[in-house]
């Protein structure tokens, strides 16, 4: 994934790593998860299943509606799937955009970037640590929804065997595992956006600008995905296969589209991570 | 990158050759600077605002890339060998910068964790020691957001002191400190220098330089205009003969006849360059000329005056 | 380190773009390089196809249709009417899982976005299930029900002579050849190509990829006369010729699913449309016919005539289409012509609609010949 390992060599040939190269990664996680802002974001995400659950409970519907939402009243487990699916178009990208936009631009605006670099963190390693923290955040975000959906779903609704899209039924335990798989797939689906955010964040010293630009890019990609005239480029667009997570609820799971989605995310991540690397390693840090 | 094989003076921990930085606007902030900091010295880096000190320090530490020239830190080329060199260099660049939502101690721990050579087992202890040295032990758990400017400055020094360093590069370490703090930092620098650490520090406080520095360099408009030991600088400062008297006219004429040049007359004094010594000769001549002497002696100009003489008068920054 | 050296680092992301784009576009091409197979004549290949007999298969079918119809935002698929479902399947890209076991078990599931439509029959009964509605329709099959095309009818005849007869019959209108080999769903296949001789048609060629071991057609590709991109392509992206387990075709209505059981087996379930048939060639565009359509001409240049079609009204997208259509006139009268890559439609002012996989000029000629 990281081009740094291969390309950074000629830049610092003598750069033998110290004995504790992972300390920075741990510190980076502390930085992301040691901030109130992160916990507010996660709390908002945890609130999604709660809101949906309460709304369905209050409306008293017996589960007649279409899609996953319509199944929640009959089986609380679908609250997890419905919440993950409904968070994907907006809440999750927003959360990722905030954290990714903050990552390098935040350090730059505080001036802590120069402290890190004279420590020395090493620019490539710092970027890798930022990326790892972003990946962990993506996972934390979707797992938060999974957990909150589990608790709220089990508290408010009956639970039982899980009806798959293909019309077959699996036991609850397997259903929970598949929902967990969906959480992981959605987290991985966010990585392309995280890569874009990291790159944009390396361009500026203003975290808000980085967030706005990343979210703007996300919106533009979304609009492009909705224009049928340019469907030739659709398979190349970031969100084109985002809905493939539902393929985990087929019998057996259909991996084709999920695989393509993950490849696409990997492609975006590679390109934008490489760009962020080129930027951060050549940039004047003032 | 042209690798000049010109070797630095044996063991010099900080050498630059033709170091130049031209910013994107075309402005040359640092112009062909050749620095050479002797091992074990306390090196004062002086210059008016905007003369290029911080820019030079950024290049020394690999934060910005030089347009031309090269830097050797601890005998190794920068920024090529930065991951090997910088753990042995403590740095403070352009004011304190911290995570305001974290405590002073947490900030120290983070920057130490960024150094892959720093032992995590001793991290807490070393942080405690560094905080102790800068007098922040009592505020260690306080959020940096609630620190005063001076406290932040002290914390920034603590970052540089987290490990045993061979070289300290400090950009205005006493900026914003109270008199006690300034004095503490002076003592700290003297202590560290006593342990054999080379210290390269930019400062505007010339009293500091006179008290602690062994060497000094002066920047002006991006150029290095002076570089020598402080003793040498001081020796060059020719003392001036100052006569306090009400008989200004006669005194001036007498001194002139004795070969004193650059005579200046103020309300109460006549002064000039006393080329020849001993000075008793002048005293005797003045007495003989019936000049009433209220005061008589040699005065050394301060470093400040030298500094102004070197870098020019005027309050406006150069660029 | 000089500025030029540092700017050279941007070569890394540029290279990354090139690699990613290369893998994305060239990867499949490299993987599908033509396999080496012994030569075969069109007649032999046709004969082999007729002898093809599999006891069962399962796989994934991908279909993509780009008839060059103008794309209109907001009308992409998803219609609730049966005709809407058909047009929806005939446009865009679809993925379906298919399974078949001789003689009469079959299952097709169309993998929709976050939903699935299933048709399955196990010999005794047939089910249609729509996950979006969570509704199932059950049909009790009559004793004899034709299975999938590949089942064939076990009659004894000479495939070689049948193939020859067929080739002779279509030779005046169509050139048939074996145009090479191809990898489809990881299997080596021959390409049997049909090229219309008439230049009135917009069809460039129809190519069947025939598996070199089982002689089952794996893919159908329809190319327009102009352009290189297929107008229609239906084929396996993954296939296995193992007989699927009987449980594959069984359907037990799950709890919470509404089951309806129509009395007459001839009635088709409303919402689920007919399954994708890998051999299907797209039909004519879906128009609300005023009366029975007539066919003018034959073969590739056949034109369908529909009278009294209602063309005006609150049909937004159609109005949009017509607004941009070219105005034409001739001995037959005046009208508008809607052109696309493959399908062309002539709408006369007196309410007749001519459509076909033919050139606009052919449509006008047909209109001139057609009885009023
Ligand atoms: N990022 C930058 N882009 C353009 N010009 C810059 C940049 N940083 C500094 N300069 C210019 O370079 C010159 C030297 O600045 P520098 O910060 O090195 O001065 P200094 O000697 O540290 O001043 P001070 O005593 O005020 O700290 C100034 O004229 C400044 O305007
Ligand atoms: Mg400065």
């Amino acid at each position: 994934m990281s081009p740094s390992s291969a390309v950074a060599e000629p830049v610092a040939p003598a750069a033998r790593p110290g004995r504790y190269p992972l300390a920075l990664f741990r510190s980076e996680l502390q930085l992301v998860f040691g901030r109130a802002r992160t916990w507010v974001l996660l709390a908002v995400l945890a609130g999604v299943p709660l809101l949906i659950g309460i709304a369905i409970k209050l409306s008293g519907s017996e589960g007649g509606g279409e899609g996953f939402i319509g199944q929640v009243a009959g089986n609380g487990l679908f609250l997890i799937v419905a919440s993950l699916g409904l968070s994907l178009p907006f809440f999750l990208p927003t959360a990722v955009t905030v954290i990714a936009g903050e990552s390098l631009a935040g350090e730059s605006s505080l001036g802590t970037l120069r402290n890190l670099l004279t420590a020395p963190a090493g620019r490539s390693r710092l970027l890798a640590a930022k990326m790892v923290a972003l990946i962990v955040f993506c996972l934390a975000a979707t797992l938060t929804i999974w957990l909150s959906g589990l608790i709220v779903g089990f508290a408010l609704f009956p639970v039982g065997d899980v009806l798959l899209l293909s019309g077959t039924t699996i036991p609850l335990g397997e259903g929970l595992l598949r929902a967990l798989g969906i959480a992981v797939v959605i987290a991985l689906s966010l990585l392309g956006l995280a890569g874009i955010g990291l790159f944009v964040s390396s361009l500026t010293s203003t975290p808000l600008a980085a967030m706005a630009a990343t979210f703007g890019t996300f919106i533009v990609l979304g609009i492009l995905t909705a224009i049928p005239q340019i469907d030739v480029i659709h398979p190349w667009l970031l969100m084109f296969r985002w809905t493939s997570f539902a393929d985990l609820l087929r019998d057996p799971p259909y991996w084709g589209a999920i695989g393509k989605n993950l490849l696409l995310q990997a492609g975006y991540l590679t390109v934008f991570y490489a760009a962020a690397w080129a930027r951060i390693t050549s940039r004047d840090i003032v | 990158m042209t690798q000049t094989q010109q070797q630095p003076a044996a063991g010099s921990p900080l050498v630059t050759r033709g170091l130049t930085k031209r910013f994107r606007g075309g402005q040359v902030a640092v112009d062909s600077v050749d620095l050479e900091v002797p091992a074990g010295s306390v090196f004062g880096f002086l210059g008016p605002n905007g003369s290029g000190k911080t820019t030079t320090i950024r290049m020394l530490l690999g934060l910005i890339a030089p347009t031309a020239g090269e830097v050797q830190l601890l005998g190794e080329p920068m920024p090529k060998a930065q991951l090997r060199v910088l753990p042995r260099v403590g740095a403070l660049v352009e004011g304190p910068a911290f995570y305001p939502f974290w405590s002073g101690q947490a900030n120290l721990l983070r920057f130490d964790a960024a150094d892959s050579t720093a032992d995590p087992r001793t991290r807490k202890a070393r942080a405690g020691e560094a905080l102790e040295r800068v007098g922040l032990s009592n505020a260690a758990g306080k959020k940096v957001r609630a620190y005063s400017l001076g406290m932040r400055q002290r914390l920034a020094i603590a970052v540089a002191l987290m490990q045993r360093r061979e070289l300290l590069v400090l950009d205005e370490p006493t900026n914003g400190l109270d008199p006690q703090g300034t004095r503490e930092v002076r003592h700290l620098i003297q202590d560290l220098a006593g342990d054999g650490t080379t210290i390269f520090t930019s400062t505007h406080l010339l009293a500091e330089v006179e008290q602690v520095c062994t060497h000094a360099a002066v920047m002006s408009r991006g150029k290095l205009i002076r570089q020598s030991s402080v003793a040498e600088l001081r020796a060059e400062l020719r003392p001036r003969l100052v006569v306090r008297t009400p008989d200004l006219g006669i005194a001036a004429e007498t001194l002139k006849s004795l070969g004193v040049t650059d005579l200046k007359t103020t309300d109460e004094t006549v002064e000039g360059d006393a080329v020849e010594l001993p000075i008793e000769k002048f005293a005797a001549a003045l007495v003989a000329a019936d000049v009433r002497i209220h005061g008589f002696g040699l005065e050394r100009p301060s470093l400040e005056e030298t500094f102004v003489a070197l870098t020019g008068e005027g309050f406006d920054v150069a660029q | 380190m000089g500025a030029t050296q540092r700017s050279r680092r941007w070569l890394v992301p540029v290279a990354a773009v090139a690699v990613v784009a290369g893998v994305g576009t060239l990867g499949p091409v490299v993987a599908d390089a033509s396999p080496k197979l012994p030569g075969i004549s069109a007649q032999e290949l046709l004969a082999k196809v007729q002898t093809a007999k599999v006891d069962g298969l399962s796989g994934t079918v991908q279909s993509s249709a780009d008839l060059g119809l103008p794309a209109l935002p907001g009308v992409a698929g998803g219609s609730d009417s049966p005709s809407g479902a058909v047009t929806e399947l005939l446009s865009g890209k679809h993925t379906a899982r298919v399974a078949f076991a001789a003689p009469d078990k079959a299952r097709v599931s169309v993998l929709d976005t976050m939903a699935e439509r299933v048709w399955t029959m196990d010999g005794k009964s047939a089910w249609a299930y729509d996950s979006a509605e969570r509704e199932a329709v059950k049909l009790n099959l009559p004793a004899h029900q034709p299975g999938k095309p590949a089942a064939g009818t076990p009659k004894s005849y000479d495939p070689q002579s049948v193939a020859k007869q067929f080739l002779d019959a279509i030779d005046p209108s169509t050139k048939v050849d074996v145009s090479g080999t191809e990898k489809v769903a990881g299997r080596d296949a021959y390409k049997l190509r049909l090229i219309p001789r008439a230049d009135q048609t917009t069809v460039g060629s129809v190519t069947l990829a025939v598996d070199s071991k089982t002689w089952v057609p794996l893919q159908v590709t329809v190319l327009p006369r102009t352009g290189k991109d297929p107008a229609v392509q239906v084929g396996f992206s993954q296939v296995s010729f193992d007989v699927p387990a009987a449980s594959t075709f069984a359907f037990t209505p799950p709890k919470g699913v509404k089951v309806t059981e129509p009395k007459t087996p001839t009635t088709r379930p409303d919402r689920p449309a007919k399954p994708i048939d890998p051999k299907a060639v797209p039909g004519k565009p879906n128009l609300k016919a005023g009366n029975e359509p007539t066919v003018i001409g034959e073969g590739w240049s056949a034109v369908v005539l529909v009278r009294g079609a209602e063309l005006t009204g609150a049909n937004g997208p159609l109005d949009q289409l017509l607004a941009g259509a070219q105005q034409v006139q001739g001995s037959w009268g005046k009208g508008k012509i809607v052109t696309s890559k493959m399908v062309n439609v002539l709408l006369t002012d007196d309410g007749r609609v001519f459509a076909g996989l033919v050139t606009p000029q052919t449509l006008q000629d047909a209109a001139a010949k057609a009885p009023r």
Side-chain angles (χ1 to χ4, degrees), chain A residues 8 11 123-124 276-283, chain C residues 1 6 9:
Chain A
V11 181
R123 297 183 186 211
S124 303
W277 175 83
R279 168 70 181 159
I280 198 71
T281 54
S282 61
R283 176 180 166 190
Chain C
M1 179 163 37
R6 293 191 304 153
R9 289 173 182 218

Side-chain angles (χ1 to χ4, degrees), chain B residues 64-76:
Chain B
I64 65 178
T67 313
E70 53 187 275
V71 176
Q72 292 219 340
L73 277 195
L74 303 176
E76 305 213 53

Side-chain angles (χ1 to χ4, degrees), chain B residues 147-188:
Chain B
Y147 274 26
S148 70
L149 171 63
M151 288 162 83
R152 285 176 209 203
Q153 188 73 29
R154 288 170 189 238
L155 188 60
I157 298 171
V159 172
L161 299 180
M162 275 295 282
Q163 291 207 70
R164 208 177 167 73
R165 316 283 193 179
E166 290 165 51
L167 172 67
L168 285 179
V169 177
L170 307 173
D171 193 8
E172 298 185 35
T174 52
N175 186 28
L177 292 188
D178 54 24
Q180 288 90 331
T182 312
R183 211 157 86 185
E184 288 301 319
V185 169
R186 198 162 63 220
H187 290 322
L188 196 61

Side-chain angles (χ1 to χ4, degrees), chain C residues 104 123 141-147 153:
Chain C
D104 54 6
L141 296 178
H144 187 76
Q145 175 80 13
T153 32

